[in-house]
Amino acid sequence: MSMRSATGFACLLAASYVLALWMTAPAVGFVRDEGYYFKAAQMYFDWLRTFEGASSLTEPAIREHFEYNHEHPALVKLTQGATKWLLSDVLEIAAPSRGYRASGMLFAGLALLGAFALGRQHFGPSVGLAAAVLLALVPRFFFHAHLACFDVAITAMWTWALVAFVWAWRARTWGT
């Protein structure tokens, strides 16, 4: 399989996976902590949406928006707020809860692409595709990809950090 066709198939797989998550999302109930994450995502995104320059960068303004549920990654909550805003408030194609959850679905697609890239770097496009397909078939990954939580987003970021490390390692020129 050529590198180009494998990459195209990986992109198609990731997009299909995100679509499958979107379609199966109504059947997944809420877990204990999602309500906290919904509120935190809204507060975080409200800071970004109403950003007013220097006044938004003061300690009181930051505390007002970011102190609630501060122990989790801000980027994930900002993306949850952004997907809720876009899909629920602007486009009106999703309930607010599904809008918050869409962020995890998108991170799942990124994780599949990262698994593909990592496998491709080490062993070739066929192994990259196998890695992406096998990750997609992990039941717990599939379940967590439906939720407004951090597991799948962190998995995606770790995978891409490994991809970047391998790229950098192979491109190193020091000591030569």
Side-chain angles (χ1 to χ4, degrees):
M1 175 176 275
S2 76
M3 190 72 72
R4 187 176 190 152
S5 62
T7 302
F9 186 77
C11 290
L12 181 63
L13 172 67
S16 299
Y17 196 72
V18 171
L19 181 62
L21 292 167
W22 181 262
M23 299 304 291
T24 56
V28 178
F30 296 109
V31 296
R32 174 189 56 83
D33 47 1
E34 273 189 298
Y36 295 106
Y37 301 153
F38 292 166
K39 180 179 177 180
Q42 188 64 54
M43 292 174 75
Y44 280 41
F45 188 71
D46 283 347
W47 176 83
L48 187 62
R49 194 176 48 78
T50 60
F51 190 84
E52 296 178 346
S55 66
S56 294
L57 298 174
T58 63
E59 185 175 343
I62 290 171
R63 283 189 182 278
E64 177 186 345
H65 293 281
F66 289 88
E67 196 164 48
Y68 181 82
N69 194 239
H70 60 84
E71 55 277 343
H72 290 106
L75 176 64
V76 176
K77 288 181 273 194
L78 283 167
T79 59
Q80 289 170 347
T83 55
K84 182 265 184 186
W85 171 77
L86 178 64
L87 299 172
S88 301
D89 300 343
V90 175
L91 299 176
E92 298 179 351
I93 61 170
S97 60
R98 201 168 180 192
Y100 289 122
R101 287 177 159 189
S103 172
M105 298 174 199
L106 295 173
F107 276 115
L110 286 175
L112 295 183
L113 291 174
F116 166 73
L118 200 56
R120 183 187 71 189
Q121 285 177 347
H122 285 293
F123 303 105
S126 297
V127 171
L129 285 174
V133 168
L134 290 172
L135 179 59
L137 295 175
V138 174
R140 186 165 299 273
F141 182 81
F142 184 75
F143 171 70
H144 280 268
H146 287 91
L147 305 177
C149 65
F150 307 96
D151 305 52
V152 171
I154 298 303
T155 300
M157 294 299 100
W158 267 107
T159 304
W160 280 103
L162 287 171
V163 170
F165 175 80
V166 171
W167 284 341
W169 185 262
R170 288 189 174 169
R172 73 188 187 283
T173 57
W174 63 85
T176 56

